[in-house]
């Protein structure tokens, strides 16, 4: 997912030349070269638009070409789309966990509207299920959780096998014990077997955290940790994932079904994912039914109110798009499509610049047919 602060940083500045490119990513090996071909076509189209609008600067495009050669765009199992932004002052690449249509914008500000469906929270979250017998990562939404099988997790058994000392090395017996029972073991270097076991658990938790962080690199969706309290503590210490939630679930994962896992973690993430959206929709519908001035459903008025900082929450209808991979005839959107896209962009940008919230919802969830609805601050 994309963080609100990331989009806000993209939305605020004004440039002499601001280029925004969006393209769907196909991760099937045979399609990777086609990804690069589509990207080159989008860059060529951006150059044409810049020249037509008297904004073209060869040095900016040359630098963007160079940096795109170095960028990692087409890797990662969760990558379904990519967004590229560059200007005379900045260069940004975002790998997106949602599919986007091909789109090119050349203006004085970055075009952020296509990023909004990837804005967290939109319903996707992850669960790190921790156990000394086996750990796993799950991708979840409000309907349930699915285990990610491609992720390679470390094995606690392998760590024990690599680091366990032989029973007769480093320990000595303080007594003979009873018949058939070994005496109490003491480590000659000062560490008890329990201390050594904790070191092994730390190594294992560190390895699991690294595996999860690597898989979720660039994905800012919420991450919930579930497992034995001791293992949870070490995992939280080592994980650097920005979406790791403060609240964990201290339940043994081993033997837990996917349905049971979901029932344990959903109460933790529901307040973050679902309730804010439902509350916003309820407020919008109630204000619309009353006909009062706490809400607005007219796009032209929403733009003006967003510019003046009055929009507290913007609810945008999901955008109708052509099939991913096409811009329409001659790789260009129609004037009507470009006008709608620009209007969505202005509403979203001005809302974010003034610290408002944005949700993207199916059109039928809005009180009446239209592009957007807004809840006003005053």
């Amino acid at each position: 997912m994309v963080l609100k602060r990331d989009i806000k940083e993209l939305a605020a500045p004004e440039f002499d030349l601001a280029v925004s490119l969006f393209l769907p990513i196909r991760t099937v090996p045979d399609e990777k070269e086609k990804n690069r071909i589509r990207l080159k076509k989008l860059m060529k189209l951006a150059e044409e638009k810049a020249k037509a609008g008297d904004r073209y600067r060869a040095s900016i495009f040359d630098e963007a070409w160079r940096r795109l050669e170095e960028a990692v765009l087409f890797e990662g199992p969760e990558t379904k789309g990519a967004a590229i932004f560059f200007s005379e002052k900045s260069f940004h690449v975002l790998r997106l966990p949602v599919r986007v249509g091909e789109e090119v914008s050349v203006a004085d500000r970055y075009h952020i509207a296509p990023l909004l469906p990837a804005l967290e929270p939109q319903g996707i979250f992850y669960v790190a299920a921790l156990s000394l017998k086996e750990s796993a990562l799950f991708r979840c939404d409000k309907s349930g959780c699915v285990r990610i099988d491609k992720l390679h997790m470390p094995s606690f058994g392998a760590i024990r096998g690599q680091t366990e000392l032989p029973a007769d090395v480093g320990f000595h017996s303080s007594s003979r014990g009873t018949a058939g029972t070994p005496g109490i073991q003491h480590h000659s270097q000062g560490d008890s077997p329990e201390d050594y076991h904790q070191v092994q658990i730390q190594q294992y938790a560190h390895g699991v955290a690294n595996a999860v962080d690597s898989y979720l690199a660039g994905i800012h969706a919420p991450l919930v940790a579930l497992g034995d309290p001791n293992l949870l503590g070490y995992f939280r210490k080592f994980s650097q994932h920005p979406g790791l939630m403060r609240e964990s679930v201290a339940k043994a994962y081993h033997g837990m079904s996917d349905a049971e896992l979901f029932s344990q973690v959903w109460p933790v993430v529901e307040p973050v994912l679902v309730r804010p959206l439902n509350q916003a929709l309820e407020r919008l519908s109630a204000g619309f039914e009353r006909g009062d001035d706490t809400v607005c459903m007219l796009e032209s008025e929403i733009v003006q109110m967003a510019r003046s900082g009055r929009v507290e929450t913007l609810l945008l209808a999901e955008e109708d798009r052509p099939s991913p991979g096409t811009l329409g005839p001659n790789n260009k959107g129609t004037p009507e499509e470009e006008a709608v896209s620009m209007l969505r962009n202005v509403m979203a940008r001005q809302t974010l610049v003034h610290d408002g919230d944005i949700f993207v919802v199916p059109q039928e969830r809005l009180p009446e047919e239209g592009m957007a609805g807004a809840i006003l601050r005053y």
Side-chain angles (χ1 to χ4, degrees):
M1 294 292 133
V2 180
L3 293 178
K4 177 181 174 181
R5 67 169 180 265
D6 294 333
I7 300 183
K8 183 178 178 180
E9 289 175 0
L10 290 168
E14 185 173 359
F15 306 99
D16 293 332
L17 170 69
V19 177
S20 309
L21 308 178
F22 301 89
L23 72 157
I25 299 296
R26 296 182 176 90
T27 55
V28 178
D30 293 344
E31 294 287 334
K32 288 186 177 181
E33 185 57 34
K34 294 181 181 179
N35 290 330
R36 298 185 185 279
I37 293 172
R38 285 198 299 272
L39 176 58
K40 290 180 180 179
K41 287 182 178 179
L42 291 180
M43 282 289 286
K44 291 292 186 182
L45 180 57
E47 289 182 340
E48 293 174 8
K49 286 191 170 188
K51 291 175 181 177
D54 198 26
R55 293 180 181 273
Y56 181 74
R57 287 170 59 179
S59 60
I60 296 176
F61 276 91
D62 290 345
E63 176 65 10
W65 278 111
R66 185 189 68 78
R67 298 185 71 167
L68 282 172
E69 289 294 327
E70 301 172 353
V72 179
L73 284 178
F74 311 126
E75 304 296 333
E78 295 295 320
T79 301
K80 296 182 179 180
I84 300 110
F85 304 92
F86 63 89
S87 68
E88 69 272 16
K89 296 180 180 179
S90 62
F91 178 89
H92 306 273
V93 171
L94 297 178
R95 290 186 295 155
L96 307 176
V98 297
R99 191 170 295 281
V100 292
E102 290 183 3
E103 193 164 344
V104 176
S105 170
V106 177
D108 57 0
R109 295 180 185 272
Y110 289 138
H111 185 57
I112 61 168
L115 291 178
L116 298 178
L119 180 65
E120 60 83 29
Q122 293 288 342
I124 302 298
F125 65 98
Y126 292 83
V127 177
L130 312 173
S131 167
L132 294 182
K133 293 185 178 295
E134 181 187 33
S135 292
L137 182 66
F138 290 81
R139 187 178 190 270
C140 312
D141 58 27
K142 63 182 180 181
S143 63
C145 293
V146 177
R147 179 170 174 158
I148 298 171
D149 293 324
K150 296 180 180 179
L151 178 62
H152 176 70
M153 288 286 198
S155 164
F156 183 68
I159 290 175
R160 292 193 66 179
Q162 293 171 359
T163 59
E164 192 72 75
L165 292 176
D168 59 348
V169 176
F171 295 89
H172 68 271
S173 178
S174 61
S175 65
R176 292 185 177 181
T178 58
T181 304
I184 300 172
Q185 298 287 304
H186 299 277
H187 197 287
S188 62
Q189 303 300 319
D191 291 333
S192 69
E194 178 59 30
D195 291 334
Y196 201 66
H197 183 62
Q198 288 299 314
V199 171
Q200 293 171 330
I201 293 176
Q202 287 189 57
Q203 288 180 315
Y204 174 67
H206 200 175
V208 171
N210 285 343
V212 170
D213 288 356
S214 296
Y215 186 90
L216 296 179
I219 299 174
H220 297 282
L223 171 65
V224 184
L226 173 146
D228 173 78
N230 189 28
L231 192 52
L232 279 176
Y234 289 133
F235 177 84
R236 296 188 64 84
K237 174 182 177 181
F238 295 123
S239 176
Q240 300 297 313
H241 182 64
L244 180 61
M245 299 187 67
R246 291 184 178 181
E247 185 177 353
S248 300
V249 180
K251 294 282 186 179
Y253 163 62
H254 183 66
M256 185 180 290
S257 68
D258 293 358
E260 185 180 357
L261 179 139
F262 177 78
S263 69
Q264 293 291 334
V265 300
W266 181 244
V268 176
V269 296
E270 183 186 16
V272 175
L273 295 178
V274 176
R275 289 178 188 169
L277 170 58
N278 288 340
Q279 290 171 354
L281 286 167
E282 290 171 3
R283 289 179 62 192
L284 182 67
S285 296
F288 178 76
E289 290 175 4
R290 291 193 304 266
D292 60 29
D293 57 1
T294 62
V295 302
C296 180
M297 297 294 297
L298 297 175
E299 288 90 351
S300 58
E301 293 185 8
I302 292 175
V303 169
Q304 297 302 318
M305 292 175 180
R307 282 176 170 157
S308 63
R310 290 188 61 191
V311 175
E312 176 186 310
T313 303
L314 177 68
L315 294 108
L316 279 174
E318 291 176 348
E319 192 172 9
D320 292 331
R321 287 192 170 277
S323 299
T326 61
L327 273 170
N330 302 318
N331 282 336
K332 294 182 180 180
T334 66
E336 292 79 9
E337 289 172 340
E338 292 192 356
V340 169
S341 182
M342 186 60 64
L343 186 58
R344 290 170 63 90
N345 192 65
V346 172
M347 286 190 287
R349 183 178 69 242
Q350 293 297 331
T351 298
L352 289 172
V353 166
H354 293 92
D355 293 320
D357 293 320
I358 298 179
F359 295 101
V360 178
V361 299
Q363 201 288 320
E364 58 268 21
R365 298 197 69 182
L366 296 178
E368 68 174 4
E369 186 173 350
M371 184 192 305
I375 300 171
L376 307 179
R377 290 189 171 100
Y378 54 88

